[in-house]
Amino acid sequence: MTKATVIAINGGATGLVISKSLIGQANDLAREHEQFNDRYIVAGRLALYELLTKIYELVERFDAASDKSELLKMVRKNLFEDYGKSTNKL
């Protein structure tokens, strides 16, 4: 049986033997790949786009604020103190 994988399961006196062809194994892997793509790649991309949208909207609100320079100073200070991230002025 070179073209099939055989899995023996002890099922009492007779035992149960299940075989799956290479085509069946390939189909299983194709389904697993589709699930992986849907669960991680597509979902991750959608989550990233949602996050980028929120970042863009926040930047737009900062740009429109009358006290933008003071707000940016506060943000820079918080980033450094809370997260250890320093920012450079452009």
Tab-separated table of all heavy atoms in Angstrom, residues 52-64:
chain	number	residue	atom	x	y	z
A	52	LEU	N	-5.334	51.290	10.873
A	52	LEU	CA	-4.790	52.401	10.091
A	52	LEU	C	-5.824	53.503	9.877
A	52	LEU	O	-5.482	54.694	9.882
A	52	LEU	CB	-4.255	51.895	8.747
A	52	LEU	CG	-2.988	51.049	8.828
A	52	LEU	CD1	-2.673	50.434	7.465
A	52	LEU	CD2	-1.819	51.855	9.350
A	53	THR	N	-7.080	53.118	9.701
A	53	THR	CA	-8.146	54.110	9.567
A	53	THR	C	-8.270	54.945	10.836
A	53	THR	O	-8.384	56.171	10.776
A	53	THR	CB	-9.491	53.416	9.255
A	53	THR	OG1	-9.364	52.717	8.012
A	53	THR	CG2	-10.626	54.408	9.169
A	54	LYS	N	-8.221	54.298	11.988
A	54	LYS	CA	-8.309	55.022	13.261
A	54	LYS	C	-7.119	55.956	13.445
A	54	LYS	O	-7.268	57.083	13.928
A	54	LYS	CB	-8.389	54.033	14.423
A	54	LYS	CG	-9.694	53.278	14.486
A	54	LYS	CD	-9.675	52.255	15.604
A	54	LYS	CE	-10.947	51.435	15.632
A	54	LYS	NZ	-10.916	50.406	16.682
A	55	ILE	N	-5.929	55.498	13.061
A	55	ILE	CA	-4.731	56.332	13.172
A	55	ILE	C	-4.871	57.561	12.275
A	55	ILE	O	-4.595	58.694	12.687
A	55	ILE	CB	-3.464	55.530	12.806
A	55	ILE	CG1	-3.193	54.474	13.883
A	55	ILE	CG2	-2.256	56.453	12.625
A	55	ILE	CD1	-2.129	53.466	13.497
A	56	TYR	N	-5.309	57.343	11.045
A	56	TYR	CA	-5.484	58.458	10.108
A	56	TYR	C	-6.504	59.467	10.632
A	56	TYR	O	-6.271	60.686	10.566
A	56	TYR	CB	-5.912	57.925	8.744
A	56	TYR	CG	-6.130	59.011	7.730
A	56	TYR	CD1	-5.046	59.657	7.131
A	56	TYR	CD2	-7.407	59.408	7.379
A	56	TYR	CE1	-5.240	60.671	6.210
A	56	TYR	CE2	-7.612	60.422	6.459
A	56	TYR	CZ	-6.526	61.046	5.875
A	56	TYR	OH	-6.730	62.058	4.975
A	57	GLU	N	-7.626	58.978	11.162
A	57	GLU	CA	-8.647	59.884	11.697
A	57	GLU	C	-8.110	60.693	12.868
A	57	GLU	O	-8.401	61.890	12.997
A	57	GLU	CB	-9.883	59.085	12.113
A	57	GLU	CG	-10.659	58.528	10.927
A	57	GLU	CD	-11.742	57.532	11.334
A	57	GLU	OE1	-11.796	57.137	12.522
A	57	GLU	OE2	-12.524	57.136	10.448
A	58	LEU	N	-7.307	60.072	13.713
A	58	LEU	CA	-6.718	60.787	14.841
A	58	LEU	C	-5.749	61.861	14.360
A	58	LEU	O	-5.755	62.991	14.866
A	58	LEU	CB	-6.006	59.805	15.781
A	58	LEU	CG	-5.387	60.407	17.036
A	58	LEU	CD1	-6.456	61.051	17.911
A	58	LEU	CD2	-4.624	59.343	17.801
A	59	VAL	N	-4.930	61.529	13.379
A	59	VAL	CA	-4.001	62.515	12.828
A	59	VAL	C	-4.765	63.690	12.230
A	59	VAL	O	-4.370	64.856	12.409
A	59	VAL	CB	-3.080	61.851	11.779
A	59	VAL	CG1	-2.306	62.895	10.976
A	59	VAL	CG2	-2.122	60.887	12.452
A	60	GLU	N	-5.851	63.409	11.544
A	60	GLU	CA	-6.670	64.484	10.972
A	60	GLU	C	-7.219	65.399	12.072
A	60	GLU	O	-7.246	66.619	11.912
A	60	GLU	CB	-7.830	63.895	10.159
A	60	GLU	CG	-7.406	63.250	8.852
A	60	GLU	CD	-6.925	64.265	7.845
A	60	GLU	OE1	-7.662	65.238	7.596
A	60	GLU	OE2	-5.807	64.094	7.318
A	61	ARG	N	-7.647	64.813	13.190
A	61	ARG	CA	-8.159	65.629	14.302
A	61	ARG	C	-7.047	66.462	14.926
A	61	ARG	O	-7.258	67.614	15.310
A	61	ARG	CB	-8.838	64.734	15.342
A	61	ARG	CG	-10.196	64.226	14.882
A	61	ARG	CD	-10.977	63.621	16.015
A	61	ARG	NE	-10.322	62.445	16.561
A	61	ARG	CZ	-10.680	61.183	16.303
A	61	ARG	NH1	-11.700	60.941	15.522
A	61	ARG	NH2	-10.036	60.183	16.838
A	62	PHE	N	-5.836	65.881	15.045
A	62	PHE	CA	-4.700	66.651	15.555
A	62	PHE	C	-4.402	67.828	14.643
A	62	PHE	O	-4.158	68.940	15.108
A	62	PHE	CB	-3.449	65.765	15.680
A	62	PHE	CG	-3.271	65.164	17.036
A	62	PHE	CD1	-3.693	63.878	17.302
A	62	PHE	CD2	-2.666	65.879	18.057
A	62	PHE	CE1	-3.530	63.314	18.550
A	62	PHE	CE2	-2.486	65.330	19.314
A	62	PHE	CZ	-2.927	64.038	19.559
A	63	ASP	N	-4.385	67.572	13.340
A	63	ASP	CA	-4.077	68.649	12.392
A	63	ASP	C	-5.100	69.773	12.448
A	63	ASP	O	-4.764	70.929	12.228
A	63	ASP	CB	-3.994	68.096	10.959
A	63	ASP	CG	-2.654	67.446	10.682
A	63	ASP	OD1	-1.699	67.689	11.450
A	63	ASP	OD2	-2.564	66.680	9.702
A	64	ALA	N	-6.334	69.451	12.747
A	64	ALA	CA	-7.398	70.463	12.779
A	64	ALA	C	-7.477	71.191	14.119
A	64	ALA	O	-8.129	72.224	14.219
A	64	ALA	CB	-8.745	69.801	12.483
